Amino acid sequence: MLCISALAMHFNNSVKLQVTSLMMKKINSKRSFVSKVVIISLLLFTINCSLFTAYCNSEIIDRIVAYVDDAAITLSEFQENFLKMKKSIPDITERETIDSMINRLLLIKQAKTMRLEGLTDDELLREYIDVKIRSVIFIKEDDIRQFFMARIDEFKGADYLSVRDEIEQYLFELETNKQLRKHIEDLRGAAEITINLER
């Protein structure tokens, strides 16, 4: 009877050890999983902190200084144009430069709408101005003669016929600029333009 009791006790202890062993394995397995999750979370947190710090300490390289409908002008584009224009027009202002860039964008957009072609934007602009503005300008003979008579002293004795073509060309360019300014005003009035040059 004692043997059976001892055997039963031994069996119970053996079962308890196995159950305890299984429970410990499960606990260890859970701990291992939790440890892995904690380590991964810590790594991700560290990476995010590093990226956030780098982002906060980095300086803005470029930003938008103007919108023209769906097109944008960046600070770097503006600065590059401003420096170029300063070489030929030393007293040009930042506002005049950005306005010039906006006008250019509006004209190029119109040229593309008309399906005009040019190898460069400059060629495209010239083509557009020729078609849209210059082709409809006509300088009357009376206007040429009137200009000559009003400034006859400036021509230092030259006769009308010798300076006629020069005057016509001058009046033609004058009218082209006038019509182009008006056309640009109309385009700007119909466009959605936002300018932010403040730093």
Side-chain angles (χ1 to χ4, degrees):
M1 188 67 119
L2 190 60
C3 281
I4 291 172
S5 179
L7 191 60
M9 218 173 175
H10 175 71
F11 178 74
N12 281 343
N13 284 343
S14 174
V15 168
K16 281 181 186 174
L17 279 172
Q18 285 179 353
V19 168
T20 304
S21 175
L22 280 170
M23 285 176 69
M24 288 304 289
K25 280 182 183 175
K26 281 185 180 179
I27 288 169
N28 285 339
S29 173
K30 283 183 181 176
R31 279 185 185 161
S32 174
F33 176 75
V34 169
S35 294
K36 286 178 184 173
V37 168
V38 168
I39 289 169
I40 289 169
S41 296
L42 284 171
L43 280 172
L44 288 173
F45 178 75
T46 306
I47 290 167
N48 283 339
C49 283
S50 299
L51 289 173
F52 181 73
T53 304
Y55 174 76
C56 288
N57 291 334
S58 66
E59 55 185 86
I60 296 171
I61 295 169
D62 218 347
R63 66 179 177 87
I64 306 296
V65 292
Y67 286 101
V68 184
D69 291 329
D70 56 352
I73 298 172
T74 63
L75 179 61
S76 58
E77 289 170 331
F78 165 73
Q79 288 172 333
E80 184 182 333
N81 273 276
F82 185 56
L83 290 174
K84 277 182 191 173
M85 293 178 89
K86 270 275 193 198
K87 289 177 184 174
S88 53
I89 312 166
D91 60 343
I92 194 167
T93 65
E94 288 188 346
R95 181 58 194 231
E96 288 168 337
T97 303
I98 199 75
D99 280 337
S100 172
M101 292 175 76
I102 288 167
N103 296 345
R104 184 180 170 84
L105 275 175
L106 288 168
L107 292 170
I108 288 170
K109 183 180 177 184
Q110 289 299 308
K112 288 177 178 175
T113 302
M114 288 177 67
R115 299 184 191 278
L116 297 177
E117 293 181 8
L119 294 174
T120 65
D121 283 348
D122 287 339
E123 284 183 23
L124 195 60
L125 276 175
R126 278 194 295 273
E127 180 74 16
Y128 179 73
I129 292 167
D130 283 346
V131 170
K132 187 75 179 176
I133 309 292
R134 296 171 78 90
S135 65
V136 295
I137 294 173
F138 175 74
I139 306 299
K140 296 176 185 172
E141 191 66 35
D142 287 347
D143 293 336
I144 301 169
R145 190 172 292 281
Q146 190 177 9
F147 184 89
F148 175 75
M149 295 306 290
R151 294 164 181 80
I152 199 160
D153 292 341
E154 294 173 27
F155 293 106
K156 298 178 182 171
D159 66 282
Y160 173 72
L161 289 176
S162 66
V163 292
R164 185 210 170 276
D165 291 345
E166 187 183 325
I167 294 169
E168 183 183 27
Q169 185 60 38
Y170 173 77
L171 293 176
F172 186 84
E173 293 304 325
L174 210 62
E175 188 62 24
T176 299
N177 289 333
K178 179 182 166 187
Q179 293 299 325
L180 184 58
R181 274 196 305 274
K182 185 183 180 307
H183 182 58
I184 287 170
E185 281 173 20
D186 293 342
L187 292 177
R188 286 181 77 111
E192 196 173 314
I193 299 169
T194 307
I195 300 171
N196 182 20
L197 282 174
E198 293 175 14
R199 289 182 174 84

